[in-house]
Amino acid sequence: MSFVSVAYGLSVATIVLFGIGALFLAHRHQRVRPDDTEFFLTARHSVPLRTIAWSFYSGGVGAWVMFSMPAFVVSAGIVGLAAYSFSCGLPIIIVARVGAVLHRKYPNVLSLGDFVQLRFGTIPTIIVTLVMLLNMFIALCAEYTAIGNLMELVVGGSRLPIVLCVATVTSIYTAAGGLYVSILTDVAQGVFGVALLAVMAVYVAITYRPESLPMPLPEKLGPNYWGWAAVIAMPISMTCATIFSEGPWQRIWASADERALKQGSLLGALGLTVVCFLYGFGGFLAIWAGYPASSEDGSTAFFDLLGAGQATAPAWITIFAVLSTVTMNEGCVDSIQNGIVDTISSRFFRRKSVWYPRVLVFLINIPIVFVSLKGYNIIVLFLIGNLICTICAVPLLLGLVDCLEGYVTGWSMVFGMISGFSSLVVFGFLKTGDIMDGMQYVFIDAYDWPSFVLPVVFSIIGVFIAVAVEGVIRQACGFTNSVPLKATHQNHTGHMENDTSCMTGYVENNVNDPSIAEGRQEVLEPSSALSSLPLMHRQLEKMKKMLGLKPGHANFQPNYESAGPSRNNYGTFGREDST
């Protein structure tokens, strides 16, 4: 039997076995607690510390690690590798801390888009949702591309069958069990992948005996411009990309409590950093020793290391590496699939049957699998997505700063994003002398540090310019509220014409408005309402009457019986245990 057949067969068997295990867990879970749509998407407060730690790790590591980390070494060297590895784990810690704050303020959100809807309104929500979907589509496409590269460049087979296998199996068990089952499978996938890495590490320690190692390090491997640029660029790039990936946010909702979230994210981040560095360092050792390269861009350098200077590595250790890659790929793919489904379902199917997101799991894979078969450069794919996320991240995060609520609105958020993008256009033009060439340099050619620093700085400047202009306009026109991106209305029955966020703007600065007695009040987008609600205790009795709250309800939740078919869960501002 040929090596290709054995490697392919064992890879498919590994994928299917994990899938069967996930289906068993899904069946057992459904017997105990049938899923509703919210639990299917969030697994809210159901996952303990150790499990969530493994899930943070498995959801972040993927087949991309085997190819992107060694390829990055080719240009950025050892300094760039260290920066990249550190930047893989850091965003998990940051997002978990930010998510803890967000969850305390908005305990019932199903996705990051829910928060944006509540805080900024509809137009920013559309923008953020599109950016998140693009970012996750790119990440999923990169995973399918990486597993295809594995079979095509390393094993010597076709990329299509393995991509279809991963997409189909993960879609089936994701549709069956949702986020909760995906998190449970992360533990087994993570343990199996780490065990295989440990075996490979011992093998390399025994067999790595190069004839000579050039000293000092060659320029491309030692400290160089691109390595030092990565020290600045990669933490910004990876953090912003993580913010606009729903997977980490889902693990925030799923964590049993804040202790599990913070400690689990720390453990997952440490594991991710170490594993990413080891795979990248393996590529570094192969290039340093001058081992025969199986690819021009260095993406398969880790597999060259296993060959120990020979044209090919022993079949058994190559199969170990293949199985490790396949396992990491499967764990990452189901996490991204869950994130995409959550982002879409929370906007369109939150009160629908759980079968809507289940069907959606399959549909989202079709175009992504097709694009992945083109074999695009994985690092370029990540660069495009990460830059777009960097442009949008800081204006979004400013919405969580208490002292800025009431000032940073949907208008200023959007203007900050425009300012950040404009800074890249100007930088690219100054760098190359041509707008189109500049865009290619910024978005395709290089991880240059100004490409990530400039949009952060100028998006902040843009936000505060918009805040100042908006404040002047409000004063000149005598407005008492922030200028809205759009307005919604509420009639005397409590039915909201805008289904998602109009309640919050309704209470902003209008509690004592005499027009309330007339049964109709204009509702502005929620730019600063949410932060003021917990402080408005003196108005609580009036709000109960106005919004139809149940007497004595501690969590300040509307009486949905009077709200008709448009009821939603956005009115809960106290902490609510959904488990």
Side-chain angles (χ1 to χ4, degrees):
M1 186 177 293
S2 68
F3 168 75
V4 175
S5 300
V6 173
Y8 233 112
L10 290 176
S11 297
V12 171
T14 301
I15 294 168
V16 172
L17 285 175
F18 277 119
I20 292 173
L23 289 174
F24 171 77
L25 293 173
H27 175 71
R28 189 177 69 174
H29 170 66
Q30 290 294 329
R31 292 180 61 183
V32 176
R33 173 181 177 171
D35 280 343
D36 55 23
T37 301
E38 177 175 347
F39 192 82
F40 182 88
L41 297 174
T42 66
R44 197 180 299 279
H45 303 324
S46 63
V47 183
L49 192 156
R50 292 184 181 179
T51 305
I52 205 67
W54 277 110
S55 186
F56 272 116
Y57 164 77
S58 295
V61 76
W64 66 270
V65 171
M66 299 287 283
F67 299 93
S68 294
M69 303 303 296
F72 196 72
V73 169
V74 172
S75 60
I78 189 64
V79 175
L81 171 62
Y84 199 173
S85 303
F86 174 76
S87 302
C88 289
L90 176 66
I92 294 178
I93 300 173
I94 294 176
V95 170
R97 268 58 182 175
V98 172
V101 175
L102 189 152
H103 195 260
R104 285 196 296 269
K105 287 187 172 186
Y106 310 94
N108 289 328
V109 296
L110 300 188
S111 68
L112 182 63
D114 281 358
F115 156 69
V116 179
Q117 178 72 59
L118 287 165
R119 177 63 179 83
F120 292 109
T122 299
I123 292 179
T125 301
I126 293 172
I127 295 173
V128 168
T129 299
L130 291 176
V131 171
M132 292 189 73
L133 290 175
L134 175 63
N135 185 44
M136 289 185 287
F137 282 170
I138 288 175
L140 188 54
C141 182
E143 277 302 302
Y144 289 149
T145 300
I147 200 65
N149 288 346
L150 175 73
M151 291 302 165
E152 192 173 83
L153 301 178
V154 177
V155 175
S158 171
R159 68 172 59 236
L160 178 60
I162 194 67
V163 172
L164 290 178
C165 180
V166 171
T168 302
V169 173
T170 53
S171 296
I172 290 173
Y173 73 72
T174 298
L179 178 64
Y180 183 73
V181 169
S182 173
I183 289 175
L184 294 182
T185 60
D186 286 341
V187 178
Q189 290 161 341
V191 171
F192 185 64
V194 170
L196 292 177
L197 174 59
V199 173
M200 290 185 286
V202 173
Y203 172 83
V204 170
I206 295 173
T207 60
Y208 186 71
R209 298 292 184 270
E211 295 180 1
S212 64
L213 293 174
M215 292 297 293
L217 288 172
E219 182 179 356
K220 68 177 182 179
L221 295 180
N224 57 44
Y225 173 82
W226 296 111
W228 295 117
V231 172
I232 301 173
M234 296 312 296
I236 298 173
S237 168
M238 299 296 286
T239 300
C240 294
T242 303
I243 289 171
F244 284 92
S245 179
E246 195 68 62
W249 297 103
Q250 286 184 297
R251 281 147 185 81
I252 292 170
W253 322 140
S255 298
D257 50 42
E258 195 163 310
R259 173 180 170 272
L261 169 62
K262 291 184 176 180
Q263 295 187 17
S265 63
L266 179 61
L267 293 173
L270 289 174
L272 182 59
T273 299
V274 171
V275 168
C276 287
F277 180 81
L278 289 177
Y279 279 118
F281 190 64
F284 171 85
L285 291 177
I287 298 171
W288 188 20
Y291 285 170
S294 55
S295 62
E296 295 182 0
D297 61 359
S299 59
T300 57
F302 181 82
F303 297 94
D304 299 334
L305 175 69
L306 300 179
Q310 304 301 314
T312 59
W316 70 272
I317 194 64
T318 302
I319 289 176
F320 269 50
V322 168
L323 295 183
S324 176
T325 309
V326 166
T327 303
M328 294 190 297
N329 177 256
E330 188 174 16
C332 187
V333 164
D334 68 46
S335 298
I336 301 172
Q337 287 175 342
N338 270 297
I340 295 174
V341 171
D342 184 22
T343 300
I344 298 175
S345 297
S346 64
R347 306 297 333 135
F348 303 108
F349 305 122
R350 63 184 305 123
R351 287 175 300 278
K352 303 291 185 180
S353 166
V354 72
W355 283 100
Y356 282 86
R358 282 175 172 163
V359 173
L360 191 61
V361 171
F362 290 92
L363 296 180
I364 61 173
N365 280 278
I366 297 174
I368 300 175
V369 167
F370 176 78
V371 174
S372 72
L373 298 178
K374 305 295 183 181
Y376 293 120
N377 187 299
I378 296 174
I379 290 183
V380 173
L381 290 176
F382 282 138
L383 176 58
I384 295 171
N386 292 1
L387 275 174
I388 294 173
C389 294
T390 303
I391 292 168
C392 303
V394 176
L396 171 65
L397 292 179
L398 290 177
L400 283 172
V401 180
D402 289 338
C403 63
L404 295 180
E405 294 190 6
Y407 298 97
V408 177
T409 65
W411 287 112
S412 51
M413 175 187 174
V414 173
F415 189 78
M417 294 176 180
I418 295 173
S419 300
F421 176 75
S422 300
S423 69
L424 288 181
V425 174
V426 173
F427 168 67
F429 176 77
L430 295 176
K431 186 76 175 181
T432 65
D434 180 81
I435 291 181
M436 296 307 298
D437 291 343
M439 289 294 94
Q440 178 173 331
Y441 175 81
V442 169
F443 283 93
I444 296 178
D445 290 346
Y447 272 89
D448 205 354
W449 67 268
S451 299
F452 293 94
V453 173
L454 290 175
V456 169
V457 172
F458 280 91
S459 63
I460 296 174
I461 294 174
V463 167
F464 286 104
I465 289 175
V467 167
V469 172
E470 191 175 335
V472 171
I473 294 175
R474 287 205 305 269
Q475 286 189 349
C477 298
F479 294 158
T480 58
N481 284 314
S482 302
V483 178
L485 281 172
K486 69 180 186 63
T488 56
H489 292 83
Q490 175 186 10
N491 60 29
H492 67 282
T493 67
H495 178 77
M496 302 295 187
E497 292 178 18
N498 180 283
D499 184 53
T500 54
S501 62
C502 43
M503 188 194 83
T504 58
Y506 180 59
V507 297
E508 160 107 350
N509 295 327
N510 290 315
V511 176
N512 297 315
D513 196 304
S515 63
I516 294 176
E518 299 175 6
R520 192 169 185 84
Q521 172 66 34
E522 182 175 0
V523 182
L524 300 177
E525 283 297 310
S527 58
S528 60
L530 294 179
S531 65
S532 63
L533 283 174
L535 304 178
M536 297 175 65
H537 300 298
R538 64 183 183 278
Q539 299 293 352
L540 184 58
E541 294 303 318
K542 291 184 179 181
M543 293 171 120
K544 286 181 179 180
K545 292 180 181 179
M546 186 171 60
L547 299 176
L549 297 177
K550 296 178 181 179
H553 197 296
N555 280 337
F556 190 59
Q557 186 169 7
N559 183 352
Y560 294 138
E561 294 178 359
S562 66
S566 294
R567 63 183 182 267
N568 58 55
N569 291 328
Y570 287 120
T572 302
F573 295 90
R575 184 176 181 86
E576 180 175 310
D577 186 2
S578 301
T579 60

